[in-house]
């Protein structure tokens, strides 16, 4: 079963263009690592400095653990740490944003 996980992150002021550029050029190795870790889709919306992600993944916790030290993900996370207000520690213990309601 695929899970849909919502996440919220926030950009540092002035990094909007660099963030968009980084995501226009996602390394193919990272895409492969995400897919290998069970990610089916990952979408990101931006409103000002706020980023809203929806991740469709087989097992979110397993994906986070699989990518924590992955050689394609480590440099990507270092780059994102320069752009985001709070660096992702990739502990894998989070569960995303709590879902409140869904259309029946």
């Amino acid at each position: 079963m695929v899970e849909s996980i919502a996440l919220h992150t926030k950009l540092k002021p002035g990094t909007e263009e660099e963030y968009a550029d980084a995501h226009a050029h996602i390394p193919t190795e990272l895409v492969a690592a995400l897919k290998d870790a069970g990610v089916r889709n990952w979408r990101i919306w931006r409103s000002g400095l706020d980023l809203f992600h929806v991740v469709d993944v087989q097992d979110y916790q397993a994906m986070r653990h699989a990518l924590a030290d992955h050689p394609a993900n480590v440099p990507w996370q270092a780059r994102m740490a320069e752009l985001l207000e709070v660096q992702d520690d990739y502990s894998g213990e989070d569960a995303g944003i709590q879902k409140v309601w869904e259309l029946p």
Side-chain angles (χ1 to χ4, degrees):
M1 181 173 92
V2 174
E3 301 176 85
S4 290
I5 304 293
L7 306 169
H8 174 237
T9 55
K10 191 167 189 141
L11 290 172
K12 292 178 183 175
T15 64
E16 298 91 336
E17 283 187 40
E18 189 175 350
Y19 185 85
D21 183 60
H23 284 79
H25 303 95
I26 303 285
T28 56
E29 300 84 11
L30 180 58
V31 171
L34 289 165
K35 289 182 178 184
D36 289 347
V39 175
R40 300 294 180 255
N41 198 358
W42 194 313
R43 297 168 307 280
I44 305 171
W45 291 264
R46 183 174 69 81
S47 177
L49 298 176
D50 292 298
L51 301 167
F52 302 94
H53 312 243
V54 175
V55 184
D56 298 326
V57 61
Q58 280 300 123
D59 181 332
Y60 180 69
Q61 300 298 323
M63 178 269 292
R64 300 278 287 166
H65 290 292
L67 294 175
D69 296 317
H70 193 286
N73 190 45
V74 170
W76 179 259
Q77 290 307 316
R79 185 173 185 194
M80 291 301 104
E82 297 171 356
L83 306 176
L84 298 174
E85 282 287 332
V86 177
Q87 181 175 350
D88 189 344
D89 68 2
Y90 256 77
S91 65
E93 301 306 320
D94 66 292
I97 298 171
Q98 180 182 0
K99 180 169 54 173
V100 175
W101 180 82
E102 182 173 342
L103 181 67

